[in-house]
Amino acid sequence: MRLGYHTGYWSAGPPPGAQEAVRAADDLGVDSVWTAEAYGSDAFTPLAWWGATTQKVRLGTAIAQMAARTPTSTAMAALTLDHLSGGRFTLGLGASGPQVVEGWYGQPWGRPLARTREFVAVVRQVLAREAPVRFDGEFYRLPLPPEEGSGLGKALRPTVHPLRADLPIHLAAEGPRNVALSAEIADGWLPLFYSPRTDAEHRQLLADGFARRAPGLRAPEEFEVTATVPVVLADGVEQAADQVRPFVALYAGGMGAKGANFHRAVLDRLGYGEACDEIQAHYLAGDRARAAAAVPTELVQEVALVGTAADVRARLEAWRATAVTTMLVQCDPRSLPEVAGLWAEVFPRDVAPRG
């Protein structure tokens, strides 16, 4: 298992210390650095800006929202960053949810799995650069049919030769069918709220997808599972958990409509449905403080690493046998060196300082 660093979402502005943490990640031997987007900052610009100061760390989007860009535009950004980074870019994609897709991007939400399948297929066509891009799907049609436009559309291939035709594509997925889809058509899975306790279920869903995997893709043995895990070091578990509770409450109560919250559904499947009912009720009523207070410590400990250095070190052991290939830690940028040090104690061969 490797160590990655997630810079997180921006709030009102750039996260303090992120630039320095990205540089530190490169020096510490951290495997990868990832950025995110919702409806504020985008994922590609910070990655390019901060990544320009690095030499070896891999750079990824966790995630770039598919509704934000056409598949060809996304492929252009990916192949550009791959060239500029010397082949260090990973394209992490996600469908987001109906509130953002329809409310922010003005795009229809329906049938996200079918839309994802088409989106990835077009991106792979661009990266392969074997012929002008043509696609006749339900959601994406290239060139646009004459009856829907001027009739002057032309099938094109990218002028730039991609550095890697097999540039890795990872999918953010939470529902069972979506997890299986990532194993079927992508090179990696980006889970949120992964719990070692349900590892066997995750492995089975991935196996279901691998059974339908196209032979031209990377072998299942090379498939990556890059799980985002909040990490907070403090004087005790409760003190550290208090810093994670608002994050969990936001996803369980506020990131999605009441009947269409896929983040909450993950926590329901972990057995915290009753707690999520209370969290969501408080959140939708506008009482975020009570929503956060309703997040059980046990839930935080399932999906995050919190407490003293000894607490975190001990709980890291539970992740050793999971399907996760990279733990993508979200932490205070100032604590990244200490987190990397703890990681090196548990997984000594996976983090080595670079000269």
Side-chain angles (χ1 to χ4, degrees):
M1 193 187 300
R2 297 179 291 270
L3 177 65
Y5 173 61
H6 197 309
T7 63
Y9 293 99
W10 293 24
S11 53
Q19 174 76 78
E20 293 76 14
V22 170
R23 291 175 184 165
D26 203 40
D27 294 336
L28 290 166
V30 171
D31 175 73
S32 53
V33 167
W34 302 71
T35 54
E37 65 184 15
Y39 42 94
S41 62
D42 78 295
F44 289 101
T45 308
L47 194 66
W49 186 268
W50 295 332
T53 66
T54 65
Q55 298 295 322
K56 296 182 179 180
V57 69
R58 292 196 296 163
L59 307 170
T61 52
I63 48 83
Q65 297 169 317
M66 287 181 281
R69 306 163 188 87
T70 64
T72 48
S73 173
T74 302
M76 288 167 60
L79 69 86
T80 302
L81 259 175
D82 205 42
H83 268 291
L84 294 176
S85 65
R88 292 187 284 136
F89 180 67
T90 296
L91 177 61
L93 298 170
S96 190
Q99 285 188 327
V100 173
V101 172
E102 297 186 0
W104 184 249
Y105 296 116
Q107 301 292 323
W109 160 252
R111 302 185 62 203
L113 271 71
R115 192 181 299 268
T116 298
R117 187 183 294 276
E118 289 191 13
F119 195 103
V120 171
V122 174
V123 171
R124 290 204 187 276
Q125 265 202 59
V126 175
L127 295 176
R129 202 180 177 275
E130 294 174 346
V133 176
R134 296 181 182 276
F135 198 83
D136 185 20
E138 181 179 353
F139 305 100
Y140 303 104
R141 295 176 304 283
L142 296 167
L144 190 68
E147 63 274 14
E148 296 183 29
S150 67
L152 301 177
K154 179 182 179 182
L156 303 169
R157 76 173 76 195
T159 57
V160 176
H161 293 236
L163 185 64
R164 293 181 295 168
D166 63 346
L167 185 154
I169 299 172
H170 293 192
L171 292 182
E174 292 177 299
R177 292 172 58 210
N178 213 354
V179 173
L181 180 68
S182 70
E184 180 186 349
I185 69 172
D187 305 297
W189 171 36
L190 294 161
L192 181 66
F193 298 138
Y194 197 104
S195 171
R197 179 166 59 86
T198 54
D199 184 67
E201 298 170 27
H202 300 318
R203 288 181 181 274
Q204 183 57 57
L205 292 172
L206 293 173
D208 293 344
F210 290 145
R212 300 186 294 271
R213 192 170 177 82
L217 299 180
R218 287 179 172 83
E221 293 76 20
E222 298 178 55
F223 189 84
E224 298 189 58
V225 178
T226 303
T228 296
V229 180
V231 180
V232 179
L233 296 171
D235 293 335
V237 170
E238 287 298 327
Q239 181 182 350
D242 283 344
Q243 297 185 49
V244 179
R245 291 185 218 274
F247 169 82
V248 177
L250 169 64
Y251 278 85
M255 292 285 277
K258 187 173 183 179
N261 186 329
F262 308 108
H263 312 297
R264 182 210 156 135
V266 177
L267 303 178
D268 286 345
R269 288 192 291 272
L270 283 174
Y272 294 96
E274 187 173 331
C276 285
D277 285 340
E278 182 179 358
I279 295 166
Q280 191 174 62
H282 290 316
Y283 209 97
L284 295 179
D287 195 338
R288 298 186 181 187
R290 290 185 70 186
V295 176
T297 302
E298 295 77 15
L299 169 54
V300 173
Q301 289 181 301
E302 285 237 36
V303 299
L305 293 167
V306 294
T308 65
D311 293 327
V312 170
R313 188 186 302 109
R315 295 192 73 88
L316 268 174
E317 290 289 347
W319 293 81
R320 187 185 294 275
T322 66
V324 174
T325 59
T326 298
M327 181 180 287
L328 189 55
V329 300
Q330 275 189 299
C331 63
D332 185 318
R334 296 167 296 184
S335 69
L336 182 59
E338 186 175 2
V339 171
L342 291 173
W343 187 271
E345 293 176 24
V346 179
F347 304 100
R349 291 172 293 180
D350 296 322
V351 175
R354 293 174 176 142

